[in-house]
Amino acid sequence: MSTSTAELLKGAAELFPGEVVTQAHVRHLDLPAGAGRFALITLDNGLDHTKPTTFGPQSLANLSAAIDQVDKEATDGTVVGVGITGKPFIFAVGADLKGVELLTRHEDALAIGKGGHEVFKRLATLAVPTFAYYNGAAMGGGVEVGLHCQYRTVSAALPAFSLPEVFLGLVPGWGGCTLLPNLIGADRAVSVVIENSLNQNKQLKGAQVRELGIADAIFEGADFLERSLSWTASVLKGELTVERAEVDRGEAWDRAVERGRQIADSKVHGAAPAAYRALDIIAAAKDGDLQAGFDAEDQALADLIMGGELRAGIYAFNLVQRRAKRPAGAPDKALARPVTKVGVVGAGLMASQLALLFLRRLEVPVVLTDIDQERVDKGVGYVHGEIDKLLLKSRINQDKANRLKGLVSGVLDKAEGFSDADFIIEAVFEEMGVKQKVFAEVEAVAPAHAILATNTSSLSVSEMASKLKNPERVVGFHFFNPVAILPLLEIVRGERTDDAALATAFGVAKKLKKSAVLVKDAPAFVVNRILTRFMGEIQNVIDEGTPVAVAERAVEPLGLPMSPLVLLELVGPAIGLHVSQTLHGAFPDRFKVSANLAAVVEAGKRGFYVHATDGAAKPELDPEVAALLQQGDIVLTEERTRERVLDAVAQEIGLMLAEGVVAEAQDIDLCLLTGAGWPFHLGGITPYLDREGVSERVNGKRFLAPGVASVPA
């Protein structure tokens, strides 16, 4: 390691005293078939697979020291090759983000980029061939350290492989933007760096890593390292020649970069810089000047580390990875009751999705009921059909499929279905009288210990339970659609819900692999209340006279997953209208009921837009909807519209926190991230409102302390 690199890493390590340090152990072995003595570096932080190996400054220094040793051995001719692999189940998952959060100076951020490059690129300059053996999860810098080697193998059992930096607000800055397109071509690199990352950090499996050409060979997990070393021996002895497809450095490269820009535009609408910085580096990598690419990566890393989007992205990542696993306000889990059978009231689409989820995650008997046999049969048939799809995709085997199908049933008689159920959830029509009637019927036949849960999206859980003999066992259990995809579960404590019911609800949520947030029994809870205020202000602006297209474009700079009116179409205008009516009843001064939206619902329209059959063209305003709209003469600009919308959202969040709807602003953000798919670069919403000065303008103070989701002062 050069003196300058050592100084860089030493200085960075002093800024990050809490680093979980990765060791780089060097061991020597004799390769098969007399191929020679080989040095194998194993990355290991000394913890089990639940604590993945990361690269902080001291970890990089340890790897550099290991490379010093093997460099000398390679030069002396005492080893014929050098390999790098990870501890069981984990290769390495990149930079330690806890250290990145602590950086306050651009020069320190620059040192992180340069330090990683200086260490990793030494693998490419050793006097002997170098090999990376991706034995387990590899992300970010873990992927990149392997790209600096000459050859790579991958385990067929590898569950997750990605360059997630753009998702968080960074670029793959230790060689990813430069080396990957030069290895597999720009188009495939754009898919990994931009498309997968912006698609909720989509992971690759081992077979896909090989198919893309990132790895030169793939072996089964059981004897992965042994077979990789045999393959290495064949390469070193010249018995096997690794052939790679030639990279197209012509117009195909430029087209790939343009495709990446279109993907970025469609996902973040120019609102977050990381994807565009990554694409600039990929574009420049066309000429194959690796050092220029590394220098550009260093600069981009430093700039982005000192930017608000990355800090919001790390904040969001920590919410999803940590806070979601330890929900604020959840009772002692020892109070939770066992759940050995689940009842579902209703057999419509939502109820059927819930039945499938409970069945797959809990693997206990699940029984559906409804008002007639046809609906019950349809619900059970839906669950069976989804199990068949899993079987077809080899996600489960035939025995598992048969067992799951045997666990789901449907009956008309609630007494027959629910007399021995431990957890019963209703998913019937969103009307208070209907839900109270259902709960009364269920209470009459359910065992005394059973938890009664409601999937209501906006109605009062306390009022729903008010006529029951045992209201303390009623809890809100609000899922988001599609149930299988969106992780959020709003768990609502009614006025009389007891700790045992609540603890059981949180225990079930954990088994369902959902991110649970404790919510006060307030109108529309969290996500629907914020989205209704957000979308309601858009609707207000349209009703007052601003063109639909202007109102929609106004919020594009937030980089939301979809525009407000497309979201309304997904939710359903009738449901949107119903929630706005509920909130208008509770807060008439802030939530209006749009006559235009009511007209759209009355006309039976599914949304404001018509879509091209091929899905390629942008949706256009439905002429029939346009004819229904009654607008005033107040026309706002995009900027003024955006200000109105953000002010409304900031006001509503401030009021929700004052009311104690959730414990902290962090829970608001966790709800929007996991229940509405809001982007990590916003941090949910409150970091963005703080960053743009909206919080102080509306509420007189920030939602988060300086340094939380922002660069520390």
Side-chain angles (χ1 to χ4, degrees):
M1 177 166 55
S2 69
T3 303
S4 59
T5 304
E7 289 172 350
L8 279 176
L9 295 176
K10 183 174 183 293
E14 289 170 357
L15 294 171
F16 184 20
E19 176 185 355
V20 177
V21 177
T22 296
Q23 303 297 330
H25 304 290
V26 180
R27 64 186 174 107
H28 298 89
L29 45 91
D30 292 322
L31 290 172
R37 194 164 182 260
F38 190 77
L40 181 66
I41 300 170
T42 301
L43 303 170
D44 191 347
N45 61 7
L47 303 170
D48 67 20
H49 69 279
T50 64
K51 301 289 191 298
T53 303
T54 53
F55 293 119
Q58 185 57 54
S59 304
L60 288 172
N62 290 344
L63 176 57
S64 191
I67 297 174
D68 283 343
Q69 178 184 337
V70 298
D71 184 16
K72 183 175 185 304
E73 293 168 348
T75 303
D76 292 346
T78 55
V79 296
V80 295
V82 173
I84 185 166
T85 192
K87 67 182 184 181
F89 308 110
I90 303 289
F91 183 79
V93 298
D96 192 322
L97 293 176
K98 294 191 296 295
V100 173
E101 287 180 278
L102 301 174
L103 299 176
T104 60
R105 301 189 309 163
H106 191 276
E107 53 264 44
D108 293 330
L110 192 63
I112 290 292
K114 287 184 177 297
H117 272 128
E118 290 302 314
V119 174
F120 286 4
K121 70 183 184 183
R122 295 180 65 203
L123 290 165
T125 59
L126 295 181
V128 295
T130 51
F131 299 78
Y133 307 131
Y134 291 124
N135 64 300
M139 300 175 198
V143 169
E144 290 170 302
V145 70
L147 295 178
H148 285 268
C149 296
Q150 288 165 266
Y151 303 97
R152 285 157 295 279
T153 66
V154 66
S155 168
L158 180 145
F161 183 103
S162 65
L163 290 171
E165 287 84 354
V166 167
F167 180 65
L168 294 172
L170 277 176
V171 299
W174 285 341
C177 289
T178 302
L179 294 174
L180 192 62
N182 277 290
L183 175 66
I184 62 173
D187 195 63
R188 289 181 168 187
V190 162
S191 294
V192 176
V193 174
I194 305 297
E195 188 171 21
N196 289 358
S197 193
L198 291 179
N199 187 18
Q200 293 298 304
N201 192 21
K202 179 182 176 183
Q203 300 294 317
L204 298 170
K205 305 293 187 187
Q208 294 168 301
V209 174
R210 173 68 187 99
E211 186 180 329
L212 285 167
I214 299 172
D216 301 305
I218 183 168
F219 303 112
E220 291 301 320
D223 56 354
F224 169 71
L225 186 57
E226 181 184 350
R227 293 189 62 188
S228 291
L229 291 171
S230 294
W231 179 86
T232 298
S234 297
V235 171
L236 291 174
K237 291 178 70 178
E239 296 170 355
L240 188 153
T241 301
V242 172
E243 295 183 358
R244 298 179 182 140
E246 186 177 347
V247 171
D248 188 333
R249 299 182 183 278
E251 291 183 7
W253 194 292
D254 301 328
R255 286 196 302 271
V257 172
E258 181 54 35
R259 182 175 75 88
R261 295 194 194 284
Q262 290 171 3
I263 293 168
D265 288 344
S266 71
K267 292 290 187 179
V268 301
H269 307 285
Y276 302 97
R277 292 294 293 267
L279 286 163
D280 288 344
I281 300 169
I282 291 172
K286 180 179 178 180
D287 64 8
D289 186 339
L290 299 186
Q291 188 55 53
F294 297 162
D295 292 342
E297 288 174 352
D298 289 341
Q299 195 60 52
L301 267 186
D303 292 346
L304 292 167
I305 284 172
M306 300 312 295
E309 288 84 1
L310 171 67
R311 302 308 172 115
I314 295 174
Y315 163 83
F317 181 81
N318 288 336
L319 289 181
V320 171
Q321 293 297 315
R322 296 177 196 165
R323 193 177 183 92
K325 292 177 172 60
R326 293 184 290 277
D332 184 348
K333 60 185 178 182
L335 297 172
R337 298 169 184 155
V339 173
T340 59
K341 183 178 179 180
V342 173
V344 181
V345 185
L349 180 58
M350 189 66 175
S352 300
Q353 289 183 69
L354 295 181
L356 178 68
L357 180 67
F358 278 95
L359 183 67
R360 289 196 64 202
R361 297 294 186 222
L362 271 60
E363 295 192 23
V364 300
V366 176
V367 59
L368 297 95
T369 69
D370 213 314
I371 58 175
D372 59 54
Q373 192 64 45
E374 183 181 352
R375 295 179 197 223
V376 169
D377 292 344
K378 186 175 180 181
V380 174
Y382 169 86
V383 176
H384 282 196
E386 292 302 305
I387 292 169
D388 286 336
K389 289 179 186 176
L390 293 170
L391 179 62
L392 196 62
K393 295 175 182 175
S394 299
R395 300 274 296 278
I396 58 175
N397 60 29
Q398 187 66 60
D399 286 346
K400 181 78 170 280
N402 293 341
R403 188 166 74 254
L404 290 177
K405 285 183 179 182
L407 287 170
V408 65
S409 61
V411 296
L412 288 175
D413 183 0
K414 292 184 178 67
E416 178 188 347
F418 298 158
S419 62
D420 58 347
D422 306 304
F423 191 97
I424 302 165
I425 184 167
E426 69 76 23
V428 299
F429 185 67
E430 190 77 350
E431 202 276 316
M432 182 60 73
V434 174
K435 290 183 183 288
Q436 286 180 329
K437 180 175 181 291
V438 161
F439 268 155
E441 293 170 352
V442 170
E443 186 182 49
V445 299
H449 71 273
I451 305 302
L452 309 184
T454 170
N455 185 44
T456 182
S457 60
S458 61
L459 300 177
S460 168
V461 174
S462 302
E463 184 180 349
M464 213 176 291
S466 62
K467 298 181 181 180
L468 299 179
K469 294 174 185 175
N470 299 108
E472 68 277 0
R473 57 175 170 163
V474 177
V475 63
F477 214 61
H478 179 217
F479 291 86
F480 290 80
N481 210 0
V483 169
I485 295 173
L486 289 176
L488 179 63
L489 190 49
E490 291 179 338
I491 296 184
V492 186
R493 182 170 205 156
E495 290 174 4
R496 297 177 65 180
T497 306
D498 66 18
D499 282 352
L502 207 60
T504 305
F506 275 100
V508 170
K510 185 174 183 180
K511 289 180 180 177
L512 294 176
K513 300 184 178 179
K514 293 296 182 183
S515 299
V517 175
L518 180 60
V519 180
K520 182 182 176 182
D521 188 17
F525 315 126
V526 176
V527 173
N528 284 342
R529 181 164 165 183
I530 293 171
L531 290 185
T532 302
R533 188 76 197 274
F534 174 79
M535 294 163 66
E537 200 59 33
I538 292 282
Q539 188 71 59
N540 291 342
V541 168
I542 292 170
D543 293 351
E544 290 167 11
T546 299
V548 170
V550 173
E552 287 267 83
R553 283 198 307 270
V555 293
E556 280 188 358
L558 276 72
L560 299 176
M562 61 188 73
S563 74
L565 293 184
V566 171
L567 175 61
L568 179 67
E569 189 173 305
L570 180 69
V571 170
I575 293 174
L577 178 64
H578 175 76
V579 176
S580 71
Q581 289 168 335
T582 299
L583 284 162
H584 175 72
F587 311 114
D589 57 327
R590 301 195 308 278
F591 290 87
K592 297 178 181 178
V593 178
S594 167
N596 281 325
L597 179 57
V600 169
V601 172
E602 188 176 345
K605 304 301 293 185
R606 296 180 61 183
F608 276 60
Y609 293 122
V610 288
H611 298 266
T613 52
D614 61 359
K618 281 190 173 183
E620 295 182 357
L621 184 63
D622 186 336
E624 294 179 11
V625 170
L628 292 172
L629 296 181
Q630 299 291 317
Q631 293 181 281
D633 55 6
I634 301 173
V635 179
L636 301 184
T637 62
E638 291 177 23
E639 291 75 15
R640 179 64 187 125
T641 298
R642 183 164 57 254
E643 186 178 290
R644 278 259 305 257
V645 171
L646 294 176
D647 284 2
V649 170
Q651 181 194 34
E652 202 60 38
I653 292 172
L655 291 167
M656 291 168 69
L657 292 172
E659 293 167 20
V661 175
V662 291
E664 294 180 291
Q666 283 88 336
D667 294 310
I668 297 277
D669 294 320
L670 180 57
C671 284
L672 287 174
L673 289 162
T674 57
W678 281 35
F680 270 38
H681 73 260
L682 293 184
I685 184 61
T686 68
Y688 179 81
L689 295 173
D690 285 350
R691 194 163 72 234
E692 296 297 312
V694 181
S695 309
E696 292 189 62
R697 182 172 74 233
V698 174
N699 299 320
K701 61 181 180 179
R702 296 166 59 94
F703 287 114
L704 303 169
V708 178
S710 58
V711 180

